[in-house]
Amino acid sequence: MTADDSFGRLDDDDYPAYTMGRAAEMLGTTQGFLRAVGEARLITPLRSEGGHRRYSRYQLRIAARARELVDQGTPVEAACRIIVLEDQLEEAQRINAEYRRAAAGSADPPDSGA
């Protein structure tokens, strides 16, 4: 990948642009916290060729949500489970809304063409 290719991916939420140290600094947390949410399988950082963890902006948003819950007194493992359940609920609500739109569309009377 050339420098131009890498630079163009900076707008990609899934591009692993941040080192563990930088990610921890941005979140105002420790590298140990990032390891803990990784061990809880909330996020799985990509690894550089040298084996270093790299995080995307999307992963940092998830880790930031976990940190909010931990700061409120929730244990890390429970915070990770809550976030997974929140994500599953959001997905189920999205699918439900799609089904409702489809059902409402099929309930409309056909156009008479007149």
Side-chain angles (χ1 to χ4, degrees), residues 4-106:
D4 287 339
D5 292 340
S6 295
F7 191 70
R9 298 201 58 193
L10 291 177
D11 288 336
D12 183 352
D13 264 1
D14 295 317
Y15 182 67
Y18 303 99
T19 63
M20 177 180 267
R22 180 67 179 127
E25 181 183 312
M26 290 170 67
L27 295 175
T29 191
T30 64
Q31 293 181 16
F33 176 80
L34 289 173
R35 279 189 214 95
V37 295
E39 288 169 7
R41 296 195 169 127
L42 180 62
I43 58 175
T44 304
L46 293 175
R47 297 282 183 150
S48 68
E49 289 181 18
H52 300 282
R53 290 174 179 90
R54 307 282 298 188
Y55 297 88
S56 68
R57 287 189 300 192
Y58 174 74
Q59 290 172 323
L60 294 183
R61 283 195 300 273
I62 293 171
R65 174 69 178 126
R67 181 167 183 246
E68 287 176 15
L69 292 170
V70 169
D71 287 349
Q72 294 170 8
T74 306
V76 171
E77 297 81 14
C80 292
R81 184 67 182 138
I82 289 168
I83 294 166
V84 168
L85 291 170
E86 287 174 342
D87 187 55
Q88 290 173 345
L89 176 60
E90 184 179 318
E91 178 67 8
Q93 289 173 330
R94 184 191 62 77
I95 291 168
N96 193 10
E98 286 177 16
Y99 284 141
R100 285 184 178 169
R101 281 192 296 278
S106 66

